[in-house]
Amino acid sequence: MSYINPVNCADRPAGAFLAPQEAGQTKKIGDVILDVRNISLRFGGVKALTDISFDVREHEVRSIIGPNGAGKSSMLNCINGVYAQQEGSITFRGRTFKHMNSRAVAEMGIARTFQNLALFKGMSVIENIMTGRNLFMKSNLLLQALRLGPAGREEVRHREFVEHIVDFLEIQQHRSTPVGQLPYGLQKRVDLGRALAMEPKMLLLDEPMAGMNVEEKQDMCRFILDINDEFGTTVVLIEHDMGVVMDISDRVVVLDYGKKIGDGTPDEVRNNEDVINAYLGNSH
Amino acid sequence: MGFFLEALFAGLMSGVLYSLVALGFVLIFKTSGVFNFAQGAMVLFAALAMARFAEWLPQWLGFESALLANIVAFLIAGAIMCVVAWLVELLVLRHLVNQSDATLLMATLGVAYFLDGLGQSGFGSGIYTIDVGMPKDPIFVLESVFPGGILLNKEDLIATVIATALVGLLTLFFMKTTTGRALRAVADDHQAAQSIGIPLNRIWVIVWCVAGGVALVAGVIWGSKLGVQFSLSTVALRALPVIILGGLTSIPGAIVGGLIIGVGEKLSELYLGPLIGGGIEIWFAYVLALVFLLFRPQGLFGEKIIDRV
Amino acid sequence: MFYRENGQLKTSYQADQQIFPIAQDRWAIIGLVLFAIVAVPLLANEYTFSAILIPFLILSLAALGVNILVGYCGQISMGSGAFMAVGAYAAYNTLVRIDGMPLLLALLSGGFFATVVGMFFGIPSLRVKGLYLAVATLAAQFLSDWAFLRVPWFTNNSTSGSVMVSELQMFSWRIDTAVEKYLFCLGFLIVFAVLAKNLVRSAIGREWMAVRDMDVAAAVIGIRITYAKLSAFAVSSFIIGVAGALWGFVHLGAWEPAAFGLDRSFQLLFIVIIGGMGSIMGSFFGAAFIVILPIVLSQTLPALGNLVGFEVSTAAISHAEFMIFGALIVWFLIVEPHGLAKLWSTGKQKLRLWPFPH
């Protein structure tokens, strides 16, 4: 079985704002950072996820694939604390949770982009990315109202950080455009920028390349790999483009109808009987 | 005990009227997703039209029969409500497709103000009566069980019968006619309904017409009981807690919610009112709804809302 | 031609983050404030102050509060009148019940109590949104209508049910002429407008807007929804409460609960819609519009009626007002959901390019 590979992510320019990596250094995959154990999620009688377990190692690119409705986004929603699973637990960096709390998840360093754009439409690009910094902004309401001393300085400091992200994502000229007016591909970048502003340890990307053309996909691929290589950020990726998935993932989980049907390196998954059946259909 | 039952019945009957107004809300919300703040203004507008035409027609045409005047006035008022429905769709709803709930809500608030102003400049701003020959005399029932029996208002009884009949009629309309089926389809899924060729705009006109008709009936009953005046417009505000209680999309919810609120208001006024200063009817329903919201946001019969990202 | 930002290069983020990044805007606004403080008192007469300017200032202040909640945080409130009432009655009670209470503190305590009540009625917003919340805030409205009418303690056992503040004195300044009242309100408005503007362009303002635009995404990036919503209710009610206290103390002098009824809530909502949701500037535009339109109508409609030989009664004018407001609301929601403020900024955008728009 062969996959069409429209995107070649190997030949990408060096990272935009960090110092280039030392020659010869290779990516080092670390210990398990996220461990998902026996997750089951139901909505009334509908089983969205059944007994899903998988783990993510530090610094790796871990993909979740599967047909539409397989429960991929629901899985991320459980990790983010948007949905509360009925059974199972999630362990992140040694701490185990029955249910995740969105705020705590963000504080622990898990950031997320969304399948259907979930940007704040009424705000400009800069403001959208700045919301990702709110986690680190400590001045209280009164100081912010007066905008005196620390509050003003804090605002400037974080603005500077956000400008780096703007540079990195190459959206300088759209800085103060309301995000609603940007084309789709750029909105996806802003979504990524907002997640990056949280300085995440782990980045959950929900179909970051859906609906993009080849050039846009290449750009997005380049960003993801840069982030992974240079910041060492762990990436969990949901994507339908098999070329991209097989090319950039270290390991892949395959879901179908809310169940896990495959887990392993791209090559292992490619040759897994169940996975082939799920994608190509099987003859009963 | 007799006292209690009397209050209970009085509550049930005003509850029926709340249900009627709430029904108008639910019909529109179910099919078009619009939370129609103008329902009260529609009640006032319809009642004003009815009252004034019943008064004017005999003068203009020189006949005496009150019955004839009432029937013709009722038909004219009904026609006017249909024109209102058509204009609302044409001028407002059509341009606000896919807008947020809040925008639609505020647009209907604008419609409400417009109708209030139009109704009063067109039909006058005094207090008018609707006399459809409803008997006003009280009757006593269950005299054998309680000393003195229980005082009931014949008018209320008739109103209850009319309201029940209307609900029955609407149910038939929804279940048995092609248009009713189309309405239910639209209520379930706008896009799917549109894709099989149900004309959304026409459906909206129809449902606003139906809601206008419900408003007319409610207006006539309330009007004949209390007179037609501006305060009728606030009746809708009394009916808001009803749909919170019953669930925004549920017709049975509107009815049950109306009865609960009606009874609750009367009983609370009777037993709780004297303790804290009286006049608590106006907020009791709201506080009840508020408490309810905190524990069961979707209402008694509403559907649970799941956020998707 | 004269309105250009050419040559005004920003060399620091601080400079870029100013309220008015364009120098001409800055000068215009300073000029306007000076005009309001110095020239208006010299030019305007008694009637203009009490019928137009003072109501405009106080309604702008209240609309500022409503805008934070409705426009910035996206929580529909139909109980603004109630929060104004709480502000007015709380300020009244602190003033008459505590000996030697300074006026300023009394007014601020009105804001404080409005905050407490506002946060209480904001609790449902944690569970429900949009339409449901509208109903929850209506509960506040009806409850306050009832409480201030029926509970004698709130009115200091006044027999008529209305309360009165006879003498306004701040430190040694007796505020009794219309000009002084105007300046007093203007002071409040300027201070609160600056504070509000600072809030909406800071972290908390972005949290409010994030919750308004997409609450699930906001939660995922670590914004505490509870904190954002309740703080919006708190800040908004504080400002509305102070506005209510000013409305009672300065504008009305003596008032009854009806001054803060449901109509007031709707009026404030209309100001925000017409002026521009999510815009501090819009609150001023909307308030000016809603204060001036009835006056214009009452002047022009009878004259128009006379032209065609038709007597226009005051009742007819008030009905026409209803219709015009209703129609305007719908028109703005359809054509320009961001209200007059958006028209204003579009105009400025055009002016920047004028006379060479291409």
Side-chain angles (χ1 to χ4, degrees):
Chain A
M1 181 173 181
S2 70
Y3 292 96
I4 305 157
N5 183 359
V7 181
N8 185 356
C9 288
D11 51 10
R12 58 179 186 278
F17 71 89
L18 280 191
Q21 268 189 314
E22 285 170 42
Q25 185 183 337
T26 49
K27 194 167 76 175
K28 220 162 112 197
I29 292 180
D31 297 332
V32 170
I33 181 173
L34 177 82
D35 194 12
V36 174
R37 281 286 141 242
N38 310 102
I39 297 284
S40 293
L41 173 72
R42 291 181 299 273
F43 297 111
V46 183
K47 285 182 179 168
L49 297 170
T50 316
D51 199 26
I52 305 282
S53 301
F54 67 93
D55 59 30
V56 181
R57 291 174 174 279
E58 201 162 5
H59 307 311
E60 77 173 337
V61 176
R62 182 74 146 128
S63 288
I64 304 177
I65 61 170
N68 285 324
K72 305 183 296 293
S73 292
S74 295
M75 189 63 245
L76 292 198
N77 282 338
C78 285
I79 298 176
N80 272 127
V82 178
Y83 295 159
Q85 71 270 13
Q86 278 83 10
E87 285 155 41
S89 63
I90 297 171
T91 306
F92 185 68
R93 284 157 50 101
R95 291 169 68 192
T96 305
F97 300 87
K98 286 305 272 180
H99 294 133
M100 304 299 265
N101 164 293
S102 295
R103 167 80 179 185
V105 169
E107 275 174 346
M108 288 189 300
I110 301 182
R112 157 96 183 261
T113 69
F114 296 86
Q115 178 180 4
N116 305 313
L117 287 166
L119 290 172
F120 307 127
K121 288 195 196 65
M123 300 156 81
S124 69
V125 169
I126 283 281
E127 285 174 324
N128 262 281
I129 302 179
M130 280 291 271
T131 55
R133 300 299 295 170
N134 270 29
L135 213 47
F136 307 102
M137 300 184 79
K138 303 285 181 225
S139 345
N140 63 30
L141 215 92
L142 201 63
L143 277 180
Q144 291 185 40
L146 298 169
R147 217 183 175 83
L148 285 176
R153 283 199 297 277
E154 191 177 43
E155 192 80 8
V156 170
R157 201 170 62 239
H158 290 293
R159 171 69 185 270
E160 228 173 291
F161 187 91
V162 166
E163 289 290 341
H164 286 310
I165 293 173
V166 168
D167 287 346
F168 173 66
L169 295 173
E170 296 157 23
I171 43 179
Q172 294 91 335
Q173 68 269 48
H174 306 291
R175 203 179 262 122
S176 39
T177 318
V179 287
Q181 294 172 12
L182 290 180
Y184 180 78
L186 288 180
Q187 292 198 26
K188 283 275 193 191
R189 278 195 212 179
V190 179
D191 196 4
L192 179 62
R194 188 177 62 186
L196 284 181
M198 295 163 67
E199 298 180 52
K201 304 255 174 345
M202 186 160 123
L203 195 53
L204 313 177
L205 303 172
D206 195 349
E207 301 198 16
M209 285 161 242
M212 286 186 167
N213 63 29
V214 176
E215 286 86 4
E216 286 171 328
K217 278 186 183 179
Q218 271 173 342
D219 282 339
M220 188 53 87
C221 242
R222 177 162 56 86
F223 293 135
I224 294 171
L225 284 174
D226 280 351
I227 293 161
N228 180 245
D229 280 359
E230 301 183 19
F231 308 150
T233 310
T234 313
V235 174
V236 175
L237 174 73
I238 294 181
E239 186 47 57
H240 276 301
D241 188 320
M242 283 307 140
V244 172
V245 170
M246 295 301 162
D247 204 22
I248 71 176
S249 315
D250 295 304
R251 289 188 299 154
V252 180
V253 181
V254 192
L255 301 185
D256 191 23
Y257 292 112
K259 296 198 177 82
K260 186 167 97 168
I261 57 170
D263 191 351
T265 63
D267 280 332
E268 286 166 15
V269 165
R270 208 191 302 254
N271 299 317
N272 182 321
E273 209 49 43
D274 290 334
V275 176
I276 294 171
N277 286 341
Y279 271 86
L280 301 178
N282 54 355
S283 46
H284 285 287
Chain B
M1 188 62 194
F3 206 45
F4 169 79
L5 281 180
E6 238 173 68
L8 185 72
F9 281 122
L12 280 176
M13 278 157 195
S14 62
V16 167
L17 290 175
Y18 289 150
S19 299
L20 264 187
V21 181
L23 204 60
F25 271 113
V26 170
L27 283 176
I28 289 181
F29 187 80
K30 226 171 137 63
T31 44
S32 55
V34 176
F35 191 82
N36 182 21
F37 232 89
Q39 190 67 27
M42 281 162 67
V43 171
L44 172 67
F45 196 79
L48 272 176
M50 165 84 188
R52 297 299 274 171
F53 276 110
E55 185 186 330
W56 287 337
L57 284 171
Q59 291 170 15
W60 291 345
L61 305 174
F63 64 85
E64 293 282 303
S65 161
L67 179 69
L68 184 65
N70 272 324
I71 291 174
V72 178
F74 187 83
L75 294 177
I76 293 178
I80 290 178
M81 292 319 288
C82 285
V83 173
V84 168
W86 176 68
L87 286 177
V88 166
E89 198 281 326
L90 183 75
L91 299 176
V92 184
L93 292 184
R94 185 172 290 188
H95 305 282
L96 289 171
V97 174
N98 282 335
Q99 297 283 353
S100 72
D101 295 352
T103 306
L104 289 164
L105 169 80
M106 289 187 279
T108 60
L109 201 57
V111 172
Y113 263 63
F114 188 82
L115 279 181
D116 280 346
L118 183 69
Q120 293 187 78
S121 32
F123 300 116
S125 51
I127 300 174
Y128 308 100
T129 51
I130 292 180
D131 186 8
V132 284
M134 293 239 255
K136 301 271 184 195
D137 45 322
I139 52 167
F140 291 90
V141 295
L142 294 175
E143 271 167 299
S144 53
V145 187
F146 302 106
I150 294 171
L151 180 86
L152 286 184
N153 219 329
K154 251 189 197 171
E155 192 183 19
D156 287 342
L157 283 178
I158 294 177
T160 310
V161 172
I162 295 176
T164 318
L166 187 69
V167 171
L169 215 64
L170 280 175
T171 315
L172 274 182
F173 169 71
F174 267 92
M175 293 299 167
K176 298 290 176 195
T177 65
T178 325
T179 317
R181 221 174 1 252
L183 284 171
R184 279 188 294 147
V186 172
D188 266 358
D189 189 332
H190 285 186
Q191 281 179 346
Q194 208 168 14
S195 72
I196 56 162
I198 294 173
L200 220 48
N201 291 337
R202 199 159 77 214
I203 289 296
W204 284 344
V205 175
I206 290 173
V207 79
W208 277 72
C209 280
V210 174
V214 173
L216 176 59
V217 174
V220 169
I221 296 176
W222 277 84
S224 75
K225 200 173 162 184
L226 304 166
V228 179
Q229 52 181 313
F230 186 64
S231 64
L232 208 54
S233 177
T234 56
V235 163
L237 293 175
R238 306 279 287 273
L240 279 181
V242 172
I243 45 177
I244 295 294
L245 211 62
L248 279 178
T249 50
S250 162
I251 289 180
I255 295 162
V256 175
L259 296 180
I260 294 177
I261 295 277
V263 171
E265 270 185 8
K266 285 283 181 298
L267 292 183
S268 67
E269 187 67 63
L270 187 63
Y271 292 106
L272 209 62
L275 300 177
I276 52 173
I280 64 172
E281 260 184 58
I282 184 68
W283 59 259
F284 175 79
Y286 273 90
V287 172
L288 197 67
L290 196 63
V291 173
F292 210 78
L293 268 182
L294 290 176
F295 294 103
R296 201 179 154 80
Q298 69 270 37
L300 280 173
F301 298 92
E303 295 136 19
K304 198 167 164 61
I305 317 137
I306 300 172
D307 272 324
R308 292 184 70 105
V309 267
Chain C
M1 216 149 31
F2 49 87
Y3 186 69
R4 279 288 149 77
E5 52 183 295
N6 294 1
Q8 300 176 25
L9 292 176
K10 307 288 186 306
T11 52
S12 70
Y13 292 125
Q14 211 145 17
D16 195 40
Q17 288 172 341
Q18 294 175 90
I19 298 181
F20 300 104
I22 299 175
Q24 284 90 333
D25 279 349
R26 257 189 326 271
W27 290 114
I29 210 75
I30 291 171
L32 191 67
V33 169
L34 283 178
F35 179 78
I37 295 174
V38 180
V40 171
L42 298 173
L43 296 172
N45 58 20
E46 188 81 21
Y47 168 81
T48 325
F49 278 123
S50 56
I52 302 176
L53 290 172
I54 294 174
F56 160 70
L57 292 177
I58 302 175
L59 286 178
S60 299
L61 185 60
L64 211 63
V66 178
N67 216 333
I68 284 179
L69 187 63
V70 180
Y72 283 96
C73 197
Q75 311 295 310
I76 303 183
S77 164
M78 298 197 163
S80 318
F83 303 141
M84 276 182 93
V86 171
Y89 281 95
Y92 169 76
N93 275 299
T94 29
L95 192 72
V96 297
R97 283 171 196 279
I98 300 171
D99 271 339
M101 189 68 178
L103 175 65
L104 199 61
L105 266 186
L107 291 172
L108 291 180
S109 89
F112 170 76
F113 283 103
T115 306
V116 174
V117 175
M119 282 173 77
F120 177 76
F121 281 98
I123 292 173
S125 76
L126 306 177
R127 289 274 283 170
V128 298
K129 309 188 218 191
L131 320 169
Y132 287 96
L133 185 63
V135 176
T137 51
L138 274 175
Q141 184 64 54
F142 288 122
L143 211 53
S144 105
D145 284 355
W146 174 84
F148 295 121
L149 195 66
R150 301 279 181 151
V151 182
W153 190 86
F154 289 128
T155 52
N156 202 13
N157 301 310
S158 137
T159 42
S160 62
S162 83
V163 298
M164 204 171 107
V165 176
S166 50
E167 194 170 274
L168 299 173
Q169 183 158 8
M170 191 171 74
F171 308 120
S172 56
W173 179 28
R174 286 272 314 264
I175 304 160
D176 40 26
T177 66
V179 181
E180 287 169 318
K181 287 177 174 175
Y182 162 80
L183 287 173
F184 187 65
C185 294
L186 184 65
F188 269 93
L189 183 61
I190 292 174
V191 170
F192 276 106
V194 172
L195 294 182
K197 183 71 196 175
N198 278 342
L199 279 179
V200 300
R201 67 201 181 103
S202 294
I204 188 71
R206 287 190 295 269
E207 290 189 10
W208 293 336
M209 289 187 273
V211 168
R212 170 194 71 190
D213 287 346
M214 185 72 71
D215 52 355
V216 180
V220 166
I221 62 167
I223 289 172
R224 285 163 299 175
I225 306 288
T226 310
Y227 175 76
K229 282 182 177 172
L230 287 186
S231 65
F233 267 96
V235 172
S236 155
S237 326
F238 185 85
I239 299 178
I240 297 173
V242 171
L246 284 175
W247 189 259
F249 279 41
V250 181
H251 179 54
L252 298 175
W255 71 93
E256 290 170 1
F260 304 106
L262 188 62
D263 289 335
R264 182 72 60 209
S265 294
F266 285 158
Q267 186 190 40
L268 289 173
L269 203 55
F270 289 171
I271 291 179
V272 170
I273 297 173
I274 292 177
M277 285 193 269
S279 160
I280 297 289
M281 189 76 101
S283 313
F284 300 112
F285 287 137
F289 189 85
I290 225 143
V291 169
I292 291 169
L293 183 73
I295 295 170
V296 171
L297 284 183
S298 65
Q299 303 285 330
T300 54
L301 279 188
L304 278 178
N306 283 338
L307 279 182
V308 289
F310 182 71
E311 186 86 25
V312 179
S313 65
T314 39
I317 293 172
S318 95
H319 299 151
E321 217 178 287
F322 265 81
M323 289 167 68
I324 291 175
F325 275 131
L328 271 175
I329 295 298
V330 174
W331 186 82
F332 268 107
L333 286 172
I334 292 173
V335 179
E336 190 45 270
H338 296 285
L340 291 169
K342 177 74 182 179
L343 292 179
W344 172 252
S345 71
T346 313
K348 276 206 316 192
Q349 211 45 255
K350 292 222 167 99
L351 190 62
R352 265 159 96 165
L353 301 174
W354 184 84
F356 306 111
H358 294 294

